[in-house]
């Protein structure tokens, strides 16, 4: 963490970056220091996700280019650092939303089962196995860490429809106005419980 990424002493809800912000399409760096600042980042991510509210949130979505994400699925809170994924060949269909795309939900194909290996905030190795929504979340958040967005997972026809809706959305106009970096404090928008 560079000095510019020092965290405040208290947990804080962070602004969520919106589609159009370059941090969302930039691959994140591996975490090397499992320190107090990392624990603060996990706390900030968790609090920001819960306030949104969302089912998952990755560090790049709050402007921090590190391989860290959190989730809240079926009342289970979790976090994972430096994840790698093994995915089932079996696929699932279903709708997906993203906190960086307020109000928009799209059919997004994903593997039915995911096994994620990584570390917890204390640097201990962990393995998380999930199916259905948890598997979808693990894939969605790991994608964020690789600079990949859920619209990149759609077929070209679906993506064309999505991009038209994104360009017409109220937040996108605000986000790109005057070439400013798009930031929203806490999204007043619903992602129908599917915001990742």
């Amino acid at each position: 963490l560079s000095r510019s990424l020092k965290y405040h002493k208290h947990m804080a809800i962070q602004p969520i970056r919106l589609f159009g912000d370059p941090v969302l399409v930039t691959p994140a760096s591996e975490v090397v220091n499992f320190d107090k600042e990392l624990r603060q980042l996990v706390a900030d991510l968790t609090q920001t996700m819960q306030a949104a509210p969302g089912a998952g949130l990755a560090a790049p979505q709050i402007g921090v280019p590190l391989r860290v994400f959190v989730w809240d699925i079926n009342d289970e809170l979790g976090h994972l650092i430096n994840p790698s994924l093994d995915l089932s060949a079996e696929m699932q269909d279903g709708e997906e939303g993203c906190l960086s795309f307020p109000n928009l939900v799209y059919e997004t194909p994903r593997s039915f089962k995911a096994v994620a290996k990584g570390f917890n905030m204390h640097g201990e190795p962990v393995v998380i196995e999930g199916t259905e929504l948890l598997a979808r979340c693990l894939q969605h958040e790991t994608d964020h860490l690789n600079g990949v967005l859920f619209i990149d997972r759609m077929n070209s026809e679906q993506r064309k429809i999505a991009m038209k809706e994104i360009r017409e959305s109220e937040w996108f106009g605000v986000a790109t106005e005057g070439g400013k970096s798009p930031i929203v404090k806490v999204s007043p928008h619903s992602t129908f419980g599917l915001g990742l």
Side-chain angles (χ1 to χ4, degrees):
L1 282 176
S2 70
R3 224 170 294 154
S4 61
L5 292 175
K6 287 273 185 228
Y7 285 94
H8 312 295
K9 287 198 173 96
H10 306 291
M11 279 203 312
I13 294 170
Q14 301 295 324
I16 292 176
R17 305 299 179 94
L18 298 181
F19 175 66
D21 190 309
V23 74
L24 294 175
V25 292
T26 307
S29 307
E30 293 274 316
V31 170
V32 287
N33 295 323
F34 290 81
D35 56 10
K36 199 170 89 189
E37 290 184 353
L38 178 66
R39 294 192 291 278
Q40 185 64 57
L41 172 60
V42 170
D44 286 355
L45 278 168
T46 303
Q47 201 183 17
T48 303
M49 166 184 68
Q50 290 177 316
L57 190 66
Q61 290 179 279
I62 62 167
V64 179
L66 289 175
R67 297 184 67 79
V68 180
F69 68 79
V70 297
W71 70 87
D72 184 358
I73 306 249
N74 305 327
D75 297 322
E76 288 276 326
L77 276 179
H79 70 274
L80 197 59
I81 292 151
N82 298 342
S84 65
L85 286 186
D86 287 316
L87 301 176
S88 66
E90 187 189 352
M91 299 297 284
Q92 60 171 316
D93 290 321
E95 295 199 314
E96 201 163 299
C98 178
L99 294 174
S100 296
F101 294 76
N103 277 350
L104 300 174
V105 174
Y106 298 107
E107 282 283 327
T108 309
R110 294 284 183 186
S111 291
F112 178 75
K113 183 178 180 194
V115 179
K117 292 182 178 128
F119 299 89
N120 67 16
M121 61 186 162
H122 307 291
E124 298 156 351
V126 288
V127 177
I128 309 295
E129 291 189 42
T131 57
E132 298 179 359
L133 187 56
L134 180 54
R136 180 175 292 282
C137 178
L138 293 169
Q139 293 168 76
H140 182 110
E141 302 311 334
T142 301
D143 272 354
H144 271 302
L145 305 182
N146 296 327
V148 174
L149 299 168
F150 77 138
I151 53 170
D152 301 327
R153 296 289 181 192
M154 299 172 185
N155 64 39
S156 57
E157 203 173 307
Q158 178 73 52
R159 194 165 192 267
K160 223 174 271 176
I161 295 165
M163 285 307 298
K164 184 177 188 299
E165 286 185 8
I166 289 161
R167 280 194 293 271
E168 289 169 0
S169 71
E170 205 178 309
W171 59 264
F172 189 66
V174 173
T176 51
E177 205 174 287
K180 281 195 213 82
S181 220
I183 292 183
V184 155
K185 256 303 180 206
V186 171
S187 167
H189 312 287
S190 166
T191 46
F192 317 103
L194 295 168
L196 294 164

